[in-house]
Amino acid sequence: MAELRKIVTVPDPVLRRKAHKVSDFGPDLQHLIDDMVETMREAPGVGLAAPQVDVSLRVIVVEFGDEDDEEVPKKLYAVVNPEIARTSGETVMGTEGCLSIPGFVGEVERLKSVTIKGQNRRGQPVRIKADGWLARIFQHEIDHLDGVLFTDRATQVTKVEGEVEQAILMD
Ligand code: CO
């Protein structure tokens, strides 16, 4: 049974630590991933990195689909030890938020498309091609594993009042 975990916020030091590589794909990791998915959905967010639930391991979950585009159905990813393997070089600006930095959004330049290399929850190698918002979400989440927050990269950070559109609430 998955359980909700508490999302840590700045300035919690776990958010600034470089997370450890995962080598044990046993029950603890399986519980962590299930809990992260539950916590991401409940928030709600489109991604979550393990340091955000106070676990310094290289694990991310992402769930995203384009509501206006049936070609991009909602899909759930859990990636262990993710890395950006290949990129187009082309960049785009976009608005990001973060569950660990409530009340702020920022304009961040990201690679337009990326290939993510890592392992699935069973330890098997995976490769994911992503572009647009999905690529942005992966880059935001992988940054968390290196202790990097969107506010470090943003050209402009704005305080927001009230509800923020879910599309920009990354994680
Ligand atoms: Co975040």
Side-chain angles (χ1 to χ4, degrees):
M1 223 8 213
E3 280 173 41
L4 291 178
R5 302 215 185 179
K6 190 180 177 314
I7 295 174
V8 299
T9 53
V10 284
D12 193 302
V14 71
L15 294 170
R16 289 306 193 176
R17 234 169 265 151
K18 194 170 160 67
H20 298 280
K21 203 170 171 196
V22 173
S23 52
D24 181 353
F25 289 79
D28 285 353
L29 179 73
Q30 304 308 318
H31 286 304
L32 172 66
I33 290 172
D34 290 340
D35 291 357
M36 284 173 64
V37 170
E38 195 86 348
T39 305
M40 167 180 69
R41 286 175 173 165
E42 174 74 16
V46 292
L48 199 67
Q52 294 185 277
V53 293
D54 202 17
V55 176
S56 202
L57 286 175
R58 303 188 80 79
V59 180
I60 61 171
V61 294
V62 169
E63 188 169 49
F64 180 72
D66 190 337
E67 281 167 23
D68 301 323
D69 187 351
E70 285 176 14
E71 307 251 303
V72 191
K74 206 169 191 185
K75 202 174 166 193
L76 175 67
Y77 302 89
V79 190
V80 180
N81 302 320
E83 292 170 31
I84 296 171
R86 217 185 308 163
T87 72
S88 64
E90 196 184 336
T91 63
V92 280
M93 293 298 290
T95 309
E96 297 185 15
C98 181
L99 294 171
S100 294
I101 313 175
F104 291 89
V105 295
E107 293 302 308
V108 185
E109 184 175 17
R110 298 284 188 188
L111 294 161
K112 190 171 174 288
S113 52
V114 290
T115 299
I116 307 298
K117 213 180 85 183
Q119 288 158 283
N120 68 12
R121 60 190 297 163
R122 305 289 164 203
Q124 292 149 338
V126 289
R127 199 174 257 276
I128 301 156
K129 276 189 172 178
D131 54 32
W133 272 103
L134 188 60
R136 176 173 294 276
I137 298 164
F138 274 113
Q139 290 168 81
H140 178 118
E141 303 310 332
I142 292 171
D143 267 355
H144 273 298
L145 306 181
D146 293 320
V148 176
L149 301 173
F150 85 87
T151 44
D152 301 336
R153 296 194 187 274
T155 50
Q156 199 185 327
V157 178
T158 318
K159 195 166 169 39
V160 285
E161 305 285 347
E163 281 192 23
V164 178
E165 264 186 75
Q166 204 201 323
I168 58 173
L169 262 186
M170 305 291 277
D171 68 15

